[in-house]
Amino acid sequence: MLRVCKEPASTNKNDLVAFFSLSILFVLTGNALLWGSPPFERFLGIEESRAADAVQATPPFTRRVTRWARPFLPAASALYALVESSPAAAAVSPHIITMTKVRASIELRKYLENADLTEDDWIGALEYWLVDVWVRYYLREPRTPKFSVGDEEEATDSSSTSSVITEITEVVEEKEESKEIRPEVGIQCNLDAEFAEAQQLAKKQELAPGARTLDDVEGDWRTGRRITAGESMRLLKQGIMKLRDLEGAFGNDEAISIRRTFYNLGSGIPFKDYDYKYVVESCCENVVGYIPVPVGVVGPLLVNHVPVFVPMATTEGALVASTMRGCKAIEMAGGVKSYVYDNGMTRAPVVSFPCAGEAVCLKRWMDIPENYGVVKREFESTSRFAQLKRVEVIVDGCLVFLRFVAFTGDAMGMNMVSKGCSASMRFLAEEFPRMKMLSLSGNYCVDKKPAAINWINGRGQSVVAECVFSDAIVKKIFKTSPKEIADASTVKLQIGSSRAGCLGGSNAHSANIVSAIFIATGQDAAQVVSSSMCSTQMNVTEEGQLYVSVTMPCLEIGTVGGGTILPPQKTCLKLMDCAGPATVPGEHTKKLAEIIAGTVLAGEISLMAALVNDDLVSSHMKLNRSKLDLYPAEEEKTRTKQRMLLEKLANDIPQRDPSEPKQKRIERVECSNIL
Ligand SMILES: CC(C)(COP(=O)([O-])OP(=O)([O-])OC[C@H]1O[C@@H](n2cnc3c(N)ncnc32)[C@H](O)[C@@H]1OP(=O)([O-])[O-])[C@@H](O)C(=O)NCCC(=O)NCCSC(=O)C[C@@](C)(O)CC(=O)[O-]
Ligand SMILES: NC(=O)C1=CN([C@@H]2O[C@H](COP(=O)(O)OP(=O)(O)OC[C@H]3O[C@@H](n4cnc5c(N)ncnc54)[C@H](OP(=O)(O)O)[C@@H]3O)[C@@H](O)[C@H]2O)C=CC1
């Protein structure tokens, strides 16, 4: 029987502990505000016999939660009474119970577990404690995720921010001022033709009589006054200024020009017509220009009934042609079907404990859903998009590896997951004071190294694509038969790869297609290691057709963040209609994964056909070896070197003096003669 108590119905410690477990439960289910909400209050004031009606009267989600809540109702009733009879607790406890700071809720539970409820003033102590928690958690500034990483609590200190802003404003004003009184005479090497001239000028400025002293120049630079490019060169050469300070002093374009002069780069690496604002503090440091890589396009590739054109940046001739051939065959076959069947980016910190027993404790602690929920909450507080899916915990001696697996929306997610992990680990460090954090990445993630765990469990987007080619298509486009391709595939992709001990490599050249699309679309190129893991199957169907599938469990890709923000790379993503964030987070990345898998299938079938037909070398000699006379001077040098070496060898052979008597010929003596 339930009833509202004016006196605590129960001061039983266990009941209270149970009640606060309930509050944790509410927080975890996102329904923390239930406290104080009509259905909950109704529960406190009704008889059990009417509870069922009240449950029915509430909306479905609340109903679910309140059903869970039923076993805890006596304890809730007790707390209600306590709150009523204690004004301080009444003021504070709703905040505690409705708090989004679940950590405080956990603290409350801990407090109650350790509290001595036999003491007279235990309610007073609890009140005092509640106020303290309220001050620490409720009044704390909420964390707001920002676009970039590394923006932790310091950034919320408004006083220090405003003083920085004031300083910056002053510097800018000073810069403007100094511009007026001292016209800029720095080197200007924005145009290749002016490069040599700019260097000369820089030299002159460095050595000019009456040039300002280094101390003066340094002083101006350090106080944010304008210095010339020539002066910056002097500071750089003396090691006073660092190359990375250039952007701050000059702006992006001029900084790059100065750096190019410093490295004496000449005009070999292009740098013009590029918007460096997307690069700075995002994609590269110490920038001197960019490396152009040719981009080809294949398609239309019919993926899930939608024709797409796929950009591929590569320097391997014949690759685009080959993939194009595959796309053509796929189109004739009615298209490739491609499905993302799982996703989750991973990061696995490693921690140590004084002994294995404590390591096991952490694993057991993580296995408790409530605890996992708090860790998840901490993780997700760092991003608007990251959703922790699970933490896989393994113990190794006194070490624990925690593999966090998270949905990361349209981002590839490595920064995001690392940031979330970092927050969760900070929380765990408070829970386990004897735990020592060894490394945020314990290599159990596994990023950028070939690893069976990725191959088996997947990482990033896990995708499978398939297509069936009729005998006629195989004959027309690939000039061979389904059986020949299937047989070759068994021998090469299965037996050959297995004998070689390939990890994730039962494919022909998935890495070729993956890397070309990665470079074109601004993915992290080093992640080709796992992303190209692919199981390719080619079998003859009962109808004599060729069934081809590619399964790629670890496509580590994104359409926001990283290099995808650079305008050319973004254009490539736009070509496939999956640039930037999708309306439903994650949909663009999913689409890109499906397209990549389809393109890999096109490349796989075409290369297998070329191998069956023994076309590989001929096609590569035609499309993959330059016909230009590329190294004439080098070849001449090599020939001269060889000639000189031969002459030297010839000279070193001792010449016989014709006047010397001929040496007596040594007779060969057979062994048998001696014996
Ligand atoms: C080169 C082909 C395609 C010729 O193959 P083909 O059958 O003589 O070509 P085709 O002239 O009959 O044309 C068929 C279709 O191919 C495409 N195509 C054909 N040529 C071009 C071109 N120039 N530019 C663009 N597309 C081209 C195009 O779609 C064309 O249709 P069409 O446009 O005429 O209606 C073929 O010989 C081939 O695929 N060779 C294999 C090349 C290859 O796959 N290289 C990948 C690199 S190999 C490697 O790095 C990995 C490796 C091999 O070491 C891995 C391992 O161990 O296996
Ligand atoms: N740190 C590391 O250990 C490693 C980093 N990298 C590098 O990490 C970079 C990629 O990290 P990643 O986390 O993908 O990218 P970012 O660091 O650029 O983070 C993605 C940003 O996009 C925001 N965002 C906006 N819309 C969406 C959306 N629809 N879905 C997802 N996010 C959205 C996120 O918001 P919000 O802030 O709310 O999350 C976040 O700020 C690459 O440069 C890569 O080379 C690679 C390997 C390891």
Side-chain angles (χ1 to χ4, degrees), residues 295-309:
V295 185
V297 172
V298 298
L301 171 72
L302 209 52
V303 188
N304 299 335
H305 309 292
V306 179
V308 270
F309 290 96

Side-chain angles (χ1 to χ4, degrees), residues 146-147 347 383-384 408 410 412-413 415-416 447 524 561-562:
K146 301 209 172 106
F147 199 82
R347 171 57 88 211
S383 164
R384 291 159 296 167
T408 55
D410 286 309
M412 176 274 283
N415 275 341
M416 203 185 266
D447 195 34
D524 187 328

Side-chain angles (χ1 to χ4, degrees), residues 75-87:
S77 171
L79 187 98
Y80 181 79
L82 164 65
V83 167
E84 279 219 323
S85 62
S86 153

Side-chain angles (χ1 to χ4, degrees), residues 340-372:
V340 168
Y341 60 86
D342 199 3
N343 65 55
M345 185 40 73
T346 61
R347 171 57 88 211
V350 55
V351 295
S352 73
F353 285 92
C355 63
E358 287 184 45
V360 171
C361 275
L362 172 60
K363 180 170 168 50
R364 290 193 181 139
W365 187 93
M366 284 294 292
D367 287 343
I368 297 169
E370 280 176 8
N371 296 340
Y372 167 74

Side-chain angles (χ1 to χ4, degrees), residues 297-299 316-329 476-479 492-493 507-510 512-513 603-611 613 615-620 622-624:
V297 172
V298 298
E316 184 177 13
L319 177 61
V320 171
S322 177
T323 316
M324 187 76 192
R325 179 166 73 159
C327 290
K328 184 179 171 173
K476 183 168 170 20
I477 303 295
F478 300 120
K479 290 113 185 161
K492 174 183 164 67
L493 308 186
N507 62 76
H509 67 150
S510 154
N512 258 340
I513 290 93
E604 290 287 273
I605 171 96
S606 180
L607 174 58
M608 284 311 296
L611 290 168
N613 294 331
D615 274 351
L616 184 70
V617 173
S618 60
S619 58
H620 277 250
K622 181 166 180 276
L623 296 172
N624 188 211

